[in-house]
Amino acid sequence: MNKKIFYSIWLVTISVLISCIAFLMVILYNYFTSEQLEQLRNETKLVTQGVIMNRESYFENLDTTDFRITWITPEGQILYDNEADTTAMENHLEREEIQDALENGYGESSRYSSTLSEKQLYTAQRLPDGTVLRLSMTQAAIWIYFLRFSVFVVIAILLALLLSRSIAFRLSKKIVEPLNKINLEEPMDAGKTPVYEEIRPLLKRLDEQYKQIQKDREELEKASLIRQEFTANASHELKTPLHVISGYAELLEHGMVKEEDIPSFAGKIRAEAQRMTKLVEDIIDLSKLDSGGKDMNRENTDLYRIAQNAAESLEAEAEQNRIHISVEGESTIIEGIPQVLYSMVYNLCLNAVKYSDSGNDVRIRVENREKEAVLSVTDHGIGIPKEELDRIFERFYRVDKSRSKEVGGTGLGLSIVKHGAKIHDAEIQVSSEVGEGSVFTVIFPK
Ligand code: ADP
């Protein structure tokens, strides 16, 4: 990058300097031309005066001059020429400046010589006797001036090259050095990063990006830790019912269970198998939610209908504990993933049933507000201590482990609710009093 900037600056500086030199030469050339013309006009006036007063004798006393003087009759015949043989000269009547002088008293013109390296400037003045006095001078073409000054031009260009090289070198260094010295970890720290105003926006962006990368890295590390913990917990949770099942099966295999106890053993095996099935189902649900629900279809879903379905599915389990589940509210349509919404309502309602004592009712309510849909599940069960409220949504976290196991809990229900809420941009609120009951509220934006 340094080289690129260096060459760009160098090129620009050289171009500017060379253009300046060329421009100056043109201006000087124009200035000299007008000065020469002015000189020619003044000389014409002087010679005219001289010839009027002294006639031919004026030329006899004439010193060598920078100008060519020609005296011409009104018919174009040459009377006198200070540089050429008058007899060999052709008739001058057709010359532009002579024509002008004869018609208007005075005329001017200029002509390039055949080599194009010179230009002749002419002035012609008609005298009172009708003859015409013409003065001319040679002017070199502009490129001859360039050639004449070539040594100076070359020196100026060389100087320009050297000067622009050193300017380009310093400038490119000044631009690039701070960029190379940027402290990527703390780009905005003036002490660690040399700053000039123009790179501030870049530093700001780098700073934002670095912070974002740090944040993403921390999140990734956290996610990886959670995954590791989850795998360890899941295998432990799966192993426990398997041990129980194989223990009972072994007893049955070796005929160590009395005939009348066989149904109770079989019941225990079935209960453990059911717990495992629920655990595997919850793990599958969670892993689907972990991907953010990207592969699942969102559609307009009636939350009230979902609440009714969940209540129906739990009816048998609730009845066993003499718990009545009521569904209140009205049809409320939200855009969501039906199976996830069902899992959320089902798990909240299942918890309300599991952690309620026999005879206590559970109420599901769906409210259709202007900008949000609100689902609440209220129970009058055991409640949750305030200090545990922050942790109950963690995977495999249980307030009372033995009670959870006793009622077939997996420790994953509220995690599923939390993830489900997240992918629906919903907010979860919990209020609970130990011994009084709990209210879980999920607010879905419409
Ligand atoms: P689990 O399968 O153990 O119920 P959850 O993730 O659903 O797992 O819940 C985590 C813990 O939160 C439960 O073990 C329980 O201690 C507590 N909990 C959840 N819901 C309720 C509730 N409605 N009443 C009392 N405690 C609850």
Side-chain angles (χ1 to χ4, degrees), residues 282 347-348 351-352 354-355 379 381-384 392-394 397-400 404 408-415 432 438 440:
D282 282 358
N347 277 299
L348 285 175
N351 280 353
K354 282 191 306 193
Y355 301 109
D379 67 61
I382 59 171
I384 306 160
I392 53 173
F393 292 95
E394 287 173 21
Y397 188 81
R398 288 122 163 163
V399 177
D400 181 346
S404 163
T410 61
L412 293 176
L414 286 182
S415 275
S432 187
S438 316
F440 283 80

Side-chain angles (χ1 to χ4, degrees), residues 15-51:
S15 321
V16 170
L17 285 170
I18 291 180
S19 314
C20 284
I21 292 170
F23 185 63
L24 262 173
M25 292 291 287
V26 172
I27 289 191
L28 279 175
Y29 177 76
N30 285 338
Y31 174 74
F32 285 137
T33 310
S34 62
E35 280 293 294
Q36 275 181 317
L37 199 62
E38 204 46 47
Q39 223 182 329
L40 188 66
R41 282 177 190 147
N42 289 336
E43 193 68 23
T44 308
K45 279 180 198 156
L46 285 174
V47 176
T48 306
Q49 288 303 317
V51 174

Side-chain angles (χ1 to χ4, degrees), residues 108-123:
E108 270 179 17
S109 75
S110 63
R111 282 189 288 279
Y112 275 101
S113 74
S114 54
T115 59
L116 283 183
S117 60
E118 281 179 352
K119 197 165 104 177
Q120 292 292 330
L121 299 178
Y122 299 99
T123 52

Side-chain angles (χ1 to χ4, degrees), residues 210-236:
Y210 183 76
K211 281 183 183 149
Q212 185 61 43
I213 291 171
Q214 284 292 95
K215 213 174 123 197
D216 290 351
R217 209 175 69 188
E218 275 164 27
E219 266 170 25
L220 275 177
E221 277 169 6
K222 217 166 108 186
S224 142
L225 208 75
I226 290 174
R227 212 165 292 132
Q228 277 172 16
E229 259 176 43
F230 178 73
T231 318
N233 280 331
S235 30
H236 174 76

